[in-house]
């Protein structure tokens, strides 16, 4: 049995959670520095448990990717702006750090 790669996709009329406003930070612009940093830190605390919940799906992606690469497949990066620049950094690391072409 394989784990779904994405546990729940948003419905067409539903805003993805990553694009929704965080109710805890509606008034972030009126807070003092310590309060802003506390809000950010509180939000950061949600990351590790969310990633832990997705580890089976991530492991499946890694295993499939390795099988594909071992069978002669390739990785293709697509991105614009920051995403494109980060892809270029990955390429630089892979070629110089790992000897891949």
């Amino acid at each position: 049995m394989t784990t779904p790669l994405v546990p729940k996709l948003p419905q067409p009329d539903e805003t993805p959670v990553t694009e929704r406003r965080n109710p805890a930070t509606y008034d972030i612009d009126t807070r003092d520095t310590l309060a802003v940093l506390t809000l950010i830190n509180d939000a950061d605390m949600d990351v590790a448990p969310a990633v832990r919940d997705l580890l089976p799906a991530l492991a499946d992606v890694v295993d499939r990717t390795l099988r594909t690469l071992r069978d002669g497949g390739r990785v293709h990066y697509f991105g614009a702006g920051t995403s494109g620049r980060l892809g270029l950094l990955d390429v630089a690391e892979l070629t110089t750090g790992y000897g891949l072409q």
Side-chain angles (χ1 to χ4, degrees):
M1 178 169 138
T2 60
T3 305
L5 300 181
V6 179
K8 180 187 174 292
L9 291 173
Q11 298 302 312
D13 61 340
E14 181 182 10
T15 303
V17 70
T18 55
E19 303 305 315
R20 294 182 208 149
R21 290 198 58 194
N22 180 347
T25 62
Y26 281 167
D27 63 345
I28 196 168
D29 59 319
T30 66
R31 305 262 185 131
D32 64 33
T33 303
L34 179 58
V36 169
L37 295 174
T38 300
L39 285 171
I40 293 169
N41 187 241
D42 288 346
D44 288 345
M45 297 293 187
D46 293 335
V47 174
V51 171
R52 165 114 17 211
D53 290 345
L54 292 174
L55 288 179
L58 291 171
D60 189 43
V61 169
V62 170
D63 291 341
R64 289 181 192 198
T65 302
L66 285 173
R67 277 194 303 273
T68 300
L69 290 172
R70 287 180 179 142
D71 290 343
R74 296 178 181 210
V75 173
H76 296 271
Y77 269 68
F78 298 90
T82 299
S83 298
R85 288 189 293 279
L86 290 173
L88 288 174
L89 290 173
D90 280 347
V91 168
E93 181 64 27
L94 290 171
T95 55
T96 59
Y98 297 95
L100 298 176
Q101 297 182 19

